[in-house]
Amino acid sequence: MKVTDSNVIRFHLQVLHGITVRSFEKKKERLFIGGAKIFGVPLENLPRRYIPEFGLVPCFLVDACSLLLERVATVGLFRKPGSLPRIKNLRAKLNRGEGCLSTALPYDVATLIKQFCRELPESLFPSELHAALLKAQALPIPEDRTSALQLLSCLLPARNSSSLHYLFNFLSKVSHRCTENLMTSMNLATVFAPCLLPPPNKAEMSEGRLELRVMVLHTFIENPHLFGVIPKAVMDSMEFLTNFHLLKDAKRGHKKRHSFKVMHSVKTVPLNQGRSKVKPAVSEVEKGSTSGGRKPLRRSLGLESFPSVLLFRTCFAEQGDKPAEALLDSPRPTRKDVCKTPQEKLKRDLHLAHFPRFTRSLDAGSSPVLTGVGKLKLTPWKRRTSL
């Protein structure tokens, strides 16, 4: 699961309140069609105005609500209908782009606001959210109801959330003057329920279901400051999950790089093993300085009884093409004949004509390593029990 705001909110709804919300299907954005038409036009095609506290709100909604706030004491506002001929004339002028709300009567403007919300091609509350809203309102504890509805309001698309937030804030101000206009928050919720939460079928038109829809709007009108606001606990969990996933991805990337290095070294091992390597001969002085647990070269190759390489080199260089038996019977060289420094060993080995190829080990100061020898015609020799 990706760590996004909507996913974390859905997780909290599921765990805390047992409400499952499906993700909204991503619908193709409609191409913007220029024109002044207002009614029956999608939100994204309407001219909108930026309001600092709310975001982008349709210009018609801002102008109409601002006009009604000046006449908020009108009795029965939104409950009493306006004049149908005047409303029809106002709609035609507004769709032509003629701003004429300043001279309109409050009842006519209030009716136009309800028609605007009802005639939107897509409801301000998406249909995928209706069942979750009703389930949240049916929770037994009032605090849980408010918390669940607040989380659900955070799942709305940005343009829907901005318009609804602005409208509920306006209706809240109207309800605060209920002593004058006689329009309480419950009355306003009852009036706007068919416009904002229309029942999709006859089964949803039962008295109990309609009452739940009214109560949902009543909660939002009473608490407009909570609409679309992500609770602090959810924000903290988002930050924690984001940091956790970043740390997890970093560790995963480190493991991948480490495993790549290991695989790279594993691939090179067979190539190194396939080559026949012979370590340089170690003199008696050097043997004494090595660790006692390390096996000498001949023993590690299973050649415990093989003649000394140093003896073989020295005798062969001095006696030329003598048979192998004569070489083996030759006396062991003295300390004076043994080369003590790598430079002396190199000079000595370069004089051996029967050893045509030498290579150096990784250590530049070490003696040359014998990697190949010329074909030697050696007569059979008997295995010696001791050198």
Side-chain angles (χ1 to χ4, degrees):
M1 181 185 75
K2 287 186 176 180
V3 182
T4 59
D5 295 355
S6 58
N7 286 339
V8 176
I9 292 172
R10 287 187 178 91
F11 174 77
H12 279 76
L13 283 169
Q14 176 66 38
V15 173
L16 299 179
H17 308 293
I19 299 175
T20 303
V21 184
R22 296 180 303 171
S23 59
F24 301 153
E25 296 181 0
K26 293 184 178 180
K27 300 177 182 179
K28 296 182 179 179
E29 294 286 343
R30 297 177 178 85
L31 295 177
F32 181 82
I33 302 174
K37 190 175 180 181
I38 293 176
F39 297 92
V41 178
L43 278 177
E44 57 267 25
N45 289 358
L46 287 172
R48 289 175 287 178
R49 187 180 306 165
Y50 178 75
I51 309 297
E53 187 180 350
F54 307 97
L56 291 173
V57 184
C59 294
F60 165 76
L61 193 60
V62 175
D63 296 339
C65 293
S66 300
L67 177 65
L68 290 181
L69 281 178
E70 298 175 0
R71 309 171 188 180
V72 71
T74 304
V75 177
L77 191 63
F78 288 107
R79 181 173 57 83
K80 293 183 178 181
S83 171
L84 291 181
R86 288 199 305 267
I87 292 173
K88 186 177 180 179
N89 187 28
L90 281 172
R91 284 173 61 100
K93 289 183 178 180
L94 288 171
N95 283 332
R96 292 196 300 266
E98 300 177 6
C100 53
L101 287 178
S102 57
T103 58
L105 297 178
Y107 297 120
D108 297 341
V109 176
T111 303
L112 287 176
I113 291 177
K114 292 189 292 182
Q115 291 181 355
F116 170 81
C117 295
R118 183 171 55 246
E119 294 179 12
L120 285 171
E122 298 174 4
S123 176
L124 288 175
F125 281 107
S127 57
E128 297 88 349
L129 209 59
H130 286 194
L133 288 170
L134 300 183
K135 189 174 181 179
Q137 185 59 45
L139 293 174
I141 304 176
E143 291 78 6
D144 290 346
R145 288 198 295 266
T146 304
S147 174
L149 290 174
Q150 180 182 0
L151 289 174
L152 288 171
S153 68
C154 298
L155 295 176
L156 290 167
R159 53 177 175 267
N160 298 49
S161 180
S162 299
S163 302
L164 284 171
H165 190 193
Y166 185 86
L167 179 62
F168 288 139
N169 186 72
F170 162 72
L171 294 177
S172 178
K173 293 178 180 178
V174 174
S175 66
H176 290 164
R177 304 283 296 273
C178 61
T179 55
E180 303 174 51
N181 55 37
L182 305 180
M183 294 299 294
T184 63
S185 57
M186 183 62 71
N187 292 339
L188 292 171
T190 303
V191 170
F192 275 90
C195 305
L196 300 179
L197 291 173
N201 48 53
K202 292 183 179 180
E204 292 291 330
M205 295 182 66
S206 62
E207 184 177 354
R209 303 294 286 181
L210 289 176
E211 185 178 355
L212 285 177
R213 296 174 187 275
V214 172
M215 293 304 299
V216 168
L217 298 185
H218 175 260
T219 303
F220 288 138
I221 293 174
E222 286 289 320
N223 304 281
H225 59 283
L226 298 179
F227 189 87
V229 179
I230 301 176
K232 184 179 183 302
V234 179
M235 291 292 293
D236 294 341
S237 63
M238 287 180 187
E239 183 178 358
F240 170 77
L241 290 174
T242 302
N243 295 336
F244 175 76
H245 275 260
L246 290 175
L247 180 61
K248 188 176 180 180
D249 293 341
K251 288 183 177 180
R252 188 181 303 169
H254 176 70
K255 287 182 179 179
K256 287 183 179 180
R257 292 192 297 270
H258 180 69
S259 61
F260 174 76
K261 291 181 180 179
V262 171
M263 292 300 296
H264 181 73
S265 62
V266 169
K267 288 182 180 179
T268 58
V269 166
L271 298 178
N272 296 336
Q273 289 179 350
R275 300 176 183 176
S276 59
K277 287 186 177 180
V278 182
K279 296 184 179 179
V282 183
S283 64
E284 298 296 334
V285 179
E286 293 173 342
K287 283 183 181 180
S289 62
T290 57
S291 60
R294 184 175 179 181
K295 296 181 180 181
L297 174 64
R298 290 180 295 148
R299 187 177 178 184
S300 63
L301 296 178
L303 302 177
E304 292 85 352
S305 59
F306 196 84
S308 173
V309 177
L310 181 59
L311 172 64
F312 179 75
R313 285 180 176 176
T314 308
C315 296
F316 190 80
E318 292 177 355
Q319 300 182 20
D321 296 332
K322 289 183 180 181
E325 294 180 357
L327 294 175
L328 294 175
D329 295 333
S330 300
R332 191 180 286 270
T334 61
R335 283 184 175 268
K336 293 182 180 181
D337 298 329
V338 179
C339 300
K340 295 182 178 181
T341 62
Q343 289 78 9
E344 293 177 0
K345 291 180 181 181
L346 178 59
K347 290 180 181 180
R348 180 199 64 198
D349 291 334
L350 291 177
H351 289 290
L352 301 179
H354 294 278
F355 297 90
R357 187 163 72 249
F358 292 88
T359 58
R360 275 195 175 275
S361 62
L362 297 176
D363 188 4
S366 63
S367 60
V369 180
L370 178 62
T371 59
V373 296
K375 293 183 179 180
L376 300 177
K377 296 180 181 181
L378 301 177
T379 58
W381 53 282
K382 295 181 181 181
R383 182 173 178 175
R384 299 184 57 175
T385 58
S386 61
L387 295 179

